[in-house]
Amino acid sequence: MSQDDTPSARSSKMRGREFGGYDSLVLWHAYPRIGLDARNQFDFYRDMPGGLAGLRSISDECHARGVRIYIDYNPWVTSTRRGSNEPTCTRATGKKKMMLGALFVMPPTSDASKSPQCGSRGPLGDTVASMFFKNVSSNRIRPAAPLLLAIGFTFQLTGIPLRAANPADDAGKMEWFQHDKLGMFIHWGPYSYLAGEWNGQHIPVGTEAEWIMQRFNIPVADYREMAHHMNPVHFNATEWVALAKAAGMKYLVITAKHHDGFAMYHSQASKYNIVDWTPFKRDPVKELSEACRQAGIRFCVYYSHREDWDDPDGYGNNWDYDRSKKNFSRYLENKSKPQLRELLTSYGPLGLVWFDRGMDTNEHAREFVELVHTLQPRCLINGRVGGYGQDLLGDYQDMNDNGMPTGGLQEYWETPQTLNTTWGYSKFDEQWKTPGEVIHRLVEIVGKGGNYLLNIGPMADGTIPGISVATLHKLGEWMQANSESIYGTTASPLREQSWGRTTVKGNHVYLHVFSWPADGKLRVPGLKNAVLDAYALAAPERKLGVIRENGTDIITLSGHATDQNDTVFVLRLDGPPVVDPPTVTQGSDVPFELDYLPAVTAGKAVKRFNRDGKFHIAKWTGPGDKVRWHLLISQAGEYRVHIRYAAPAESKGNQYLITMAGQPLKGSVIATGEGYHYRTFDMGTLRIRKPGLQILEVEPAAEYGHNLMFF
Ligand code: FHN
């Protein structure tokens, strides 16, 4: 390609030539990534360096020259088959729906006479020049929806910034959590002594061995008697911490008290603890805290603040204790809070307190939050401190156990995961994850912006199962070579790739190749930036060839995978990676389904995890806190809109607006019940005059000072 024939030279030549004499510019197919047959796209767009960024520079130039811009879409493009030269045509029949995250929209009737005619090529046969520049008075280019203009120029996605669940807490204290990515979870207690067996009964593989007391309703007296036998003579805090460090783990969370009520540290609040109750007489939590500090690992504790099967007033044991006689507040005041106070005052600075199983009320949960804030203001609190079905407290959210979110979360998060299928040791559970699976999970989690808290379940004598040790060493070997692609990275705006996953740090995109491409070419679709360099993380000096074709960067790999689980390559870009926002497309008679995943949020609206194990949008309290979807509408017509949301009593009566193509639909929130009870409401109709890309937005109509609704 000669200098003069580069896409950028061509585009500037075209601009220079064609702007003269016209007072408007119409961009057909201005959205370059809508999965069209390449022949139906103008070279101008396909080849333009920077894609939409290139369009933006045209936009700037137009503004400078007083040229108006419209974006328009060929009505047939959305039904053009890949690989086909001719656009196909779908007749609009029946009802279409569009769903908004739970918003559904469907055209009640489609007028076939307004449908595009099969075989007609429309403007596609025109020359590029005549396509781009039209007088606004021309019929064909009349802008049906000036709103479309915004699409190409306003919204792009770059790395997803994460927030603390409570923004007031964010003042720099999330930094280590955001950077460190990988932690060791340790479930260890008297249940480890039982190892999944009680009186000949076995905990089924696939369920939690640490729940054995509850599962077999073991009487408190019997369990307490058994706990006397815990004597971890092989426990060596330095070795445990060294293992965590070798694996690349940066923080360590030990169960100071699990649901069985037994304290694995020297508690003054209850004699039922490892120092006073067992022949061991040592405090492993203390030893671990010291070993962690020496090794530079952040020390953290797990504390089951609500559940306690030993305490007559605690939650969960209804086989020994009469539920009606329980005084839960007494348990909180006499055991749970005093023990938490001990942990916060006698074990040095804690990275975080890992609460579990929620709390009966958010008022009680706030008391625990307060306690932590008062005694150790920099200590983080996980989201499980608060109740189920309530707005989440804590500095970050934990997914469900072993949970893997689909992506797009905008709050700090972590997922606790097992190495086999239990947290506490079970002699029966041999369903171990391979090192490869562990590495893939790590990369997937980190690529979605989260932290991986990987559990080990040591035996009662203090031995860590050999297979866990081996897996963590393998993970560590991989981390040794590749940790640059893990620590300090942020969520990748690129979607999941068929060959692996991506992580991002600043201007670098790390390509984690799980399956080596047969033709030795790695395809990375969707990046809008210029690629400055490509290389293997292990060999930065050897640059790899990259070409961009139809919006896809193709990297020619050399040699073979250097790591059978994940070989990492790096793309150095001209800035943080930028991609187009996801576009929701419409099947011929399938409703749009607009949920949290392809949504783009603005203002305070945030995509979050809820304790139901689902994801939603919340924290939008006033105008500007918007949720927005980019829709590719294939058929003009009237669309019926339904919205599905959950709203507690406090949200009742909040007004909101749904806007598309300049038409607002107004809604008033109806309370759906406490917790996350979703209901669907009919919102009326929106008229879409022509197919193409549209933006649909939802936002509160006024400032309410509380959440509009859970969407
Ligand atoms: O019930 C516990 C379980 O035993 C384990 O501690 C896990 C770890 O995330 N948390 C609870 C269940 O979610």
Side-chain angles (χ1 to χ4, degrees):
M1 205 188 276
S2 79
Q3 277 286 41
D4 257 352
D5 201 27
T6 60
S8 56
R10 243 188 293 149
S11 63
S12 59
K13 265 197 297 182
M14 288 161 78
R15 282 187 306 226
R17 193 176 69 230
E18 286 143 13
F19 276 2
Y22 291 94
D23 65 355
S24 68
L25 164 65
V26 177
L27 303 178
W28 289 87
H29 299 173
Y31 205 71
R33 291 184 54 232
I34 47 179
L36 305 180
D37 178 348
R39 288 192 230 192
N40 287 341
Q41 291 185 28
F42 299 113
D43 287 344
F44 187 71
Y45 292 110
R46 213 177 57 228
D47 292 342
M48 185 174 295
L52 289 181
L55 288 180
R56 192 179 292 123
S57 76
I58 293 186
S59 149
D60 292 341
E61 199 167 329
C62 287
H63 285 306
R65 293 166 182 238
V67 173
R68 280 190 286 168
I69 309 175
Y70 299 103
I71 298 183
D72 212 336
Y73 296 86
N74 180 281
W76 300 280
V77 294
T78 56
S79 53
T80 299
R81 274 180 281 120
R82 263 187 184 282
S84 138
N85 190 13
E86 290 297 321
T88 58
C89 177
T90 311
R91 265 187 197 283
T93 52
K95 296 191 174 192
K96 309 286 172 299
K97 282 189 192 171
M98 178 161 71
M99 166 172 160
L100 234 197
L103 192 58
F104 309 75
V105 186
M106 48 199 152
T109 49
S110 294
D111 183 345
S113 67
K114 290 182 200 138
S115 301
Q117 291 167 11
C118 291
S120 168
R121 287 187 65 85
L124 292 174
D126 292 351
T127 66
V128 169
S130 66
M131 289 311 304
F132 284 120
F133 299 95
K134 298 279 185 183
N135 191 300
V136 269
S137 59
S138 155
N139 276 345
R140 201 170 52 186
I141 60 167
R142 194 183 60 236
L147 171 74
L148 288 173
L149 178 61
I151 294 164
F153 300 106
T154 313
F155 308 111
Q156 290 194 324
L157 292 183
T158 179
I160 302 162
L162 300 178
R163 295 189 208 158
N166 300 300
D169 295 343
D170 204 357
K173 74 179 191 179
M174 298 306 299
E175 255 168 46
W176 72 264
F177 184 83
Q178 168 67 16
H179 174 272
D180 288 357
K181 300 294 175 197
L182 180 59
M184 174 181 271
F185 211 179
I186 304 174
H187 276 69
W188 196 41
Y191 45 80
S192 316
Y193 181 78
L194 295 180
E197 182 172 13
W198 175 254
N199 284 346
Q201 307 173 86
H202 296 179
I203 291 286
V205 173
T207 55
E208 297 101 336
E210 71 283 1
W211 275 69
I212 191 164
M213 180 178 179
Q214 202 260 13
R215 175 116 197 164
F216 297 132
N217 287 357
I218 301 175
V220 165
D222 293 356
Y223 197 87
R224 281 185 157 229
E225 179 54 34
M226 176 278 295
H228 281 308
H229 296 282
M230 177 129 190
N231 190 12
V233 289
H234 298 306
F235 168 70
N236 182 324
T238 311
E239 283 175 10
W240 284 22
V241 171
L243 177 63
K245 192 159 181 158
M249 293 162 159
K250 296 270 190 191
Y251 61 109
L252 180 150
V253 186
I254 170 84
T255 45
K257 184 202 84 163
H258 202 261
H259 313 331
D260 63 0
F262 185 81
M264 289 296 287
Y265 71 97
H266 195 191
S267 172
Q268 307 303 314
S270 160
K271 288 278 167 224
Y272 192 45
N273 70 72
I274 189 159
V275 178
D276 297 321
W277 200 262
T278 76
F280 189 52
K281 302 285 174 224
R282 283 160 50 193
D283 180 342
V285 172
K286 179 68 104 198
E287 291 179 29
L288 281 169
S289 70
E290 283 158 5
C292 278
R293 260 177 277 292
Q294 271 173 19
I297 300 284
R298 212 168 281 264
F299 180 70
C300 314
V301 294
Y302 168 110
Y303 188 81
S304 178
H305 59 324
R306 167 171 170 252
E307 200 100 16
D308 195 309
W309 305 328
D310 185 75
D311 193 286
D313 292 315
Y315 182 90
N317 183 343
N318 300 323
W319 59 95
D320 279 312
Y321 304 123
D322 181 348
R323 196 194 305 228
S324 66
K325 298 215 172 87
K326 286 188 183 192
N327 180 340
F328 186 62
S329 295
R330 190 163 57 199
Y331 158 72
L332 294 183
E333 296 309 320
N334 290 351
K335 185 169 181 187
S336 193
K337 287 187 198 167
Q339 288 201 325
L340 179 61
R341 230 174 259 123
E342 291 170 350
L343 291 164
L344 287 161
T345 49
S346 305
Y347 295 86
L350 302 179
L352 56 88
V353 178
W354 216 97
F355 294 101
D356 205 359
R357 301 272 298 158
M359 189 36 83
D360 60 337
T361 63
N362 259 2
E363 287 64 45
H364 276 148
R366 277 195 200 96
E367 292 170 13
F368 282 83
V369 170
E370 268 311 296
L371 195 54
V372 177
H373 282 172
T374 307
L375 295 173
Q376 291 207 25
R378 305 281 304 167
C379 175
L380 303 185
I381 299 168
N382 75 332
R384 293 193 187 178
V385 67
Y388 291 85
Q390 295 164 356
D391 205 6
L392 293 171
L393 303 172
D395 296 299
Y396 71 90
Q397 302 311 331
D398 270 298
M399 298 300 105
N400 282 0
D401 292 348
N402 289 301
M404 188 71 85
T406 37
L409 292 183
Q410 294 170 316
E411 282 182 343
Y412 297 107
W413 63 273
E414 173 185 70
T415 174
Q417 304 219 350
T418 49
L419 262 177
N420 48 358
T421 68
T422 173
W423 304 91
Y425 176 68
S426 162
K427 59 189 170 196
F428 306 111
D429 191 342
E430 295 295 340
Q431 293 188 13
W432 298 101
K433 291 173 186 76
T434 63
E437 282 173 281
V438 169
I439 291 166
H440 289 181
R441 277 171 191 251
L442 169 68
V443 171
E444 168 130 23
I445 292 161
V446 168
K448 290 173 175 169
N451 281 22
Y452 190 21
L453 184 61
L454 182 56
N455 183 70
I456 57 165
M459 298 183 223
D461 68 358
T463 309
I464 299 172
I467 191 156
S468 304
V469 175
T471 300
L472 293 190
H473 277 301
K474 285 269 181 224
L475 170 62
E477 277 167 32
W478 184 86
M479 283 292 281
Q480 275 278 317
N482 298 294
S483 66
E484 177 192 321
S485 66
I486 299 294
Y487 299 138
T489 57
T490 51
S492 172
L494 286 163
R495 61 171 189 253
E496 293 176 0
Q497 308 293 326
S498 56
W499 42 259
R501 298 288 182 269
T502 56
T503 55
V504 166
K505 196 188 291 178
N507 297 356
H508 295 78
V509 176
Y510 298 94
L511 312 172
H512 295 260
V513 180
F514 299 168
S515 41
W516 195 262
D519 63 357
K521 294 195 189 307
L522 202 60
R523 289 168 179 81
V524 184
L527 272 176
K528 299 289 152 199
N529 313 65
V531 176
L532 305 181
D533 272 334
Y535 52 89
L537 184 56
E541 67 294 340
R542 231 178 306 133
K543 305 298 180 218
L544 303 172
V546 188
I547 54 165
R548 182 166 289 175
E549 273 180 13
N550 300 326
T552 294
D553 290 301
I554 305 173
I555 302 130
T556 303
L557 306 179
S558 56
H560 303 285
T562 50
D563 187 296
Q564 57 166 353
N565 295 312
D566 178 7
T567 306
V568 183
F569 293 88
V570 186
L571 293 182
R572 191 167 65 87
L573 309 178
D574 62 353
V578 174
V579 302
D580 287 334
T583 305
V584 185
T585 54
Q586 178 184 29
S588 56
D589 52 5
V590 180
F592 278 102
E593 293 191 6
L594 308 182
D595 64 11
Y596 84 97
L597 196 57
V600 178
T601 57
K604 295 189 293 305
V606 63
K607 299 189 205 180
R608 343 177 59 196
F609 173 72
N610 73 29
R611 285 300 307 275
D612 261 359
K614 301 190 187 80
F615 307 96
H616 66 193
I617 292 163
K619 301 217 161 191
W620 39 353
T621 66
D625 301 337
K626 291 185 186 188
V627 181
R628 177 183 289 145
W629 288 266
H630 298 75
L631 314 181
L632 194 51
I633 300 214
S634 49
Q635 289 168 0
E638 300 229 323
Y639 281 77
R640 190 107 203 147
V641 180
H642 294 266
I643 188 165
R644 205 170 88 86
Y645 58 77
E650 73 162 9
S651 299
K652 184 177 169 196
N654 291 349
Q655 307 291 305
Y656 59 95
L657 296 172
I658 298 174
T659 314
M660 184 162 71
Q663 304 161 65
L665 290 176
K666 292 183 183 157
S668 178
V669 174
I670 293 168
T672 61
E674 289 311 306
Y676 303 115
H677 291 291
Y678 280 82
R679 279 182 58 197
T680 304
F681 302 95
D682 189 347
M683 295 292 298
T685 55
L686 288 170
R687 182 162 182 73
I688 302 299
R689 288 199 192 82
K690 39 192 320 198
L693 200 55
Q694 293 279 0
I695 286 179
L696 188 150
E697 289 185 335
V698 184
E699 82 181 298
E703 180 58 56
Y704 297 111
H706 59 253
N707 193 23
L708 173 70
M709 61 171 81
F710 295 118
F711 182 82

